Amino acid sequence: MRLFATLLFLILVNGNSSKSIKFERDVLDEHNKHRASHNAQRLVLDKKLSRNATLTAKQAAKSGTFDNISPGQSVFVSCATFKREVTGKEVTDAWYSEVCNPDFDFKNPDNEKARGFTQLVWKDTSRFGVGKATGPGKDGEICVYIVGVYRPPGNLVGFFEENVEKATFDKEKYCKDGEDDSDDDDDDTDDEEEENEEGDSKITEENAKEDEAVQAAVKDKKGEVDKNSKQTNKRSSKKRKGGNFAA
């Protein structure tokens, strides 16, 4: 009996692992399809980032919300009265379709309402991880929480124009066609395996250290922008004192 239970557990674990690997690969492939339209390099899957993303998703599933979204993270939540499978195409399109926001303009891509899109196509980003978890929602609903983690992180103030390129992308056509698109992927059930608490604790520490490093990098980038801005203002001030400036 004990042997049977062990075999059953291994079968479930291997099944979940296969689904997880397929989901990661599907999200990665969908990302790279979109990035190609914006002259952005192909992303490679980073297993460590996927583990961190999975833990963050599980924490959100327990609390019912994403408490803190760090630089280089995109999140997605889908709730229904039944347990459903969210596909890699569905979550990627949800982030990418933010480009259809009427206020978004490639001439000035720094837009709070399109952070998922700009991070997805951010040129400087090269590594990617994704994870998901399921948890209870309101009124008996079942919610799927998904986290994408990007390194180096995007959406850095002062660097949008050089990292978010329109290239061959046709916004009008994409957004118009997207209104009638439907996802034909089959809905499957996905059993969540329990994580070892000690392993989760270790990943939590890794997350904290990595977030600190990312925050420091973002701060350095911002400092670089501020420094360049001050130097530009200083040069401009000298020109005005000399009586030679252009409007």
Side-chain angles (χ1 to χ4, degrees), residues 50-65:
S50 288
R51 290 195 298 270
N52 292 345
T54 300
L55 181 58
T56 301
K58 288 185 175 182
Q59 292 171 337
K62 289 180 180 179
S63 64
T65 185

Side-chain angles (χ1 to χ4, degrees), residues 48-102:
K48 180 181 178 182
L49 293 182
S50 288
R51 290 195 298 270
N52 292 345
T54 300
L55 181 58
T56 301
K58 288 185 175 182
Q59 292 171 337
K62 289 180 180 179
S63 64
T65 185
F66 286 102
D67 296 324
N68 295 299
I69 301 176
S70 302
Q73 284 187 349
S74 292
V75 300
F76 173 92
V77 182
S78 176
C79 298
T81 55
F82 56 93
K83 191 173 183 180
R84 62 181 293 270
E85 178 73 9
V86 177
T87 67
K89 184 178 188 305
E90 180 181 351
V91 64
T92 303
D93 285 351
W95 291 328
Y96 190 77
S97 63
E98 291 178 6
V99 70
C100 297
N101 187 294

Side-chain angles (χ1 to χ4, degrees), residues 190-234:
D190 187 14
D191 298 317
E192 297 292 340
E193 62 179 288
E194 296 182 359
E195 293 286 346
N196 180 277
E197 292 184 1
E198 183 178 348
D200 280 357
S201 177
K202 183 177 180 181
I203 296 176
T204 300
E205 293 177 3
E206 291 178 353
N207 268 346
K209 291 179 180 178
E210 186 165 20
D211 284 344
E212 288 178 4
V214 170
Q215 293 284 2
V218 171
K219 187 176 180 180
D220 289 343
K221 284 282 189 180
K222 187 177 185 301
E224 180 183 337
V225 173
D226 292 342
K227 182 179 179 181
N228 291 337
S229 177
K230 289 179 180 178
Q231 291 176 343
T232 301
N233 290 336
K234 187 175 181 181

